[in-house]
Amino acid sequence: MKKSSPVSRSGRFSGGPAADVAQFTESISFDQRLWRQDIQGSLAHAKMLHKIGLLTAEEHRDISQGLEKIRAAIEAGTFDWKQELEDVHMNIEAELTHRVGAGAKLHTGRSRNDQVALDLRLWVRDERLALLNDIQVLQKSLLDFAEREADVIIPGYTHLQRAQPVYFAHHLLAYVEMLERDAQRLRDSKERGNVCPLGAGALAGSTLPLDRESVAKELGFVDASDEAKLAQNSMDAVSDRDFVVEFCSDGALLGVHLSRLAEDLILWASTEFNFIKIGDAYTTGSSLMPQKKNPDVAELMRGKSARVIGNLVSVLTLLKGLPMTYNRDLQEDKEALFDTADNLRATLRVCAAMLNHTSANRTVCATAASDPALLATDLADYLVRKGMAFRQAHHAVGSLVALAEKSGKRLNQLTVAELQSVEKRFEADALELFDLGKAMKARSIIGAPGTKEVKEQLARWRKALGK
Ligand code: ARG
């Protein structure tokens, strides 16, 4: 990195900052990635400056062409980023001014404070779309998996104890639902974040007649009827990072959902459960134990949620004590934000790929699902249908479970006489409840894991998500 005099220090200072200060305060090492948004914002700002007569047509043309050339250099990897120029904004502006005389006019009516607020809003807007796309890719993988294993039944669990039977697909679709709410939250927050801060200047606007509406429209900060959406308070505009918090918060909850999915996959892949087989390419071995096949991908999915949650807490903590308005602390918002986006997107993609290489161990699932104790509640429901209060029915079936346990039988091996010894209302047809196929058909209300209902949910999601 070459030495040159930082643009922000002209005049007031006798020289550049000390080397350790430059190193401590720089953000170019991580905010470089805002270059697209920075150039996009500068192009719009220059266009407006020309519109209001503060740039001649020639100056506007020179600035625009200069910015396009810088864009090409960055894309080609030949741009010389300089640490002593602190951040992406000063690097680009200094290079523009070096190339084009009129570059020195670009910062008219603008501060890095409204500039960085703008760049970050644009970045979040772009990144949100990419994240939404990755969420949908995972939803499709879950749906594909659910369809491949559509007839597989497993025990559903509460307290990690076998509870009631569910279709494997029903379990997977629970995550499709969670991901849908995550996507919805991201879409909801777009509206609040889609507000143009340009014109706020350092904190107090400008004495120049800036046309804020035209810049906002140029940058797509508009409402449903194409009206410009402008930050209405300059002090709020430069210091607000609500949209970063919202992205990190939406992301943290998404991370939690991915972590729960990971936990299920890890349990299912264990020898104890053995419900699924993850393709070799998506597992790792042990350096010591030759027999091991470890679900590291799923474990890292679970692990990465920790940092994503941490990023949310970092940003909230960063903001909570800041006096109005801009403070350099705000520079610390970026790494947390980028880290959340990067890790979630990587997790979503690798998880989708892993699920495409995962299958259910059908025999093991069938054996587990055939545990008749899973249908104890169905027996209680039987008694309810015969007019018994549920609490009493629950008690009666509890006694049956105890009786079966005492006589070393499974619940479905009890005789009708034994059932009747506990409760007279039991008849021979009670034992038919243990037919798992029938039992699954009987769960026929909306949201239940019934045979028809799960099929309908699969079809609904297929229609919503497409092929
Ligand atoms: N790199 C800074 C940030 O990310 C840009 C804004 C700097 N503004 C200032 N007045 N020092 O927050």
Side-chain angles (χ1 to χ4, degrees), residues 45-60 105 108 208-211 214:
H45 183 64
K47 189 171 176 181
M48 181 275 291
L49 289 178
H50 169 51
K51 191 176 171 216
I52 62 171
L54 291 179
L55 286 181
T56 65
E58 200 184 358
E59 287 167 338
H60 176 219
K105 289 193 173 183
T108 308
L208 299 167
L210 305 177
D211 181 351
S214 77

Side-chain angles (χ1 to χ4, degrees), residues 27 31 87 89 112-113 116 326 328 330-331 334:
S27 56
D31 70 10
D87 58 23
H89 324 294
R112 272 188 298 157
N113 298 353
V116 71
Y326 180 85
R328 191 63 176 271
L330 288 175
Q331 182 166 293
K334 285 167 210 64

Side-chain angles (χ1 to χ4, degrees), residues 186-198:
L186 283 163
R187 284 189 218 107
D188 288 348
S189 56
K190 183 191 165 199
E191 272 323 295
R192 275 181 302 282
N194 203 34
V195 172
C196 190
L198 273 192

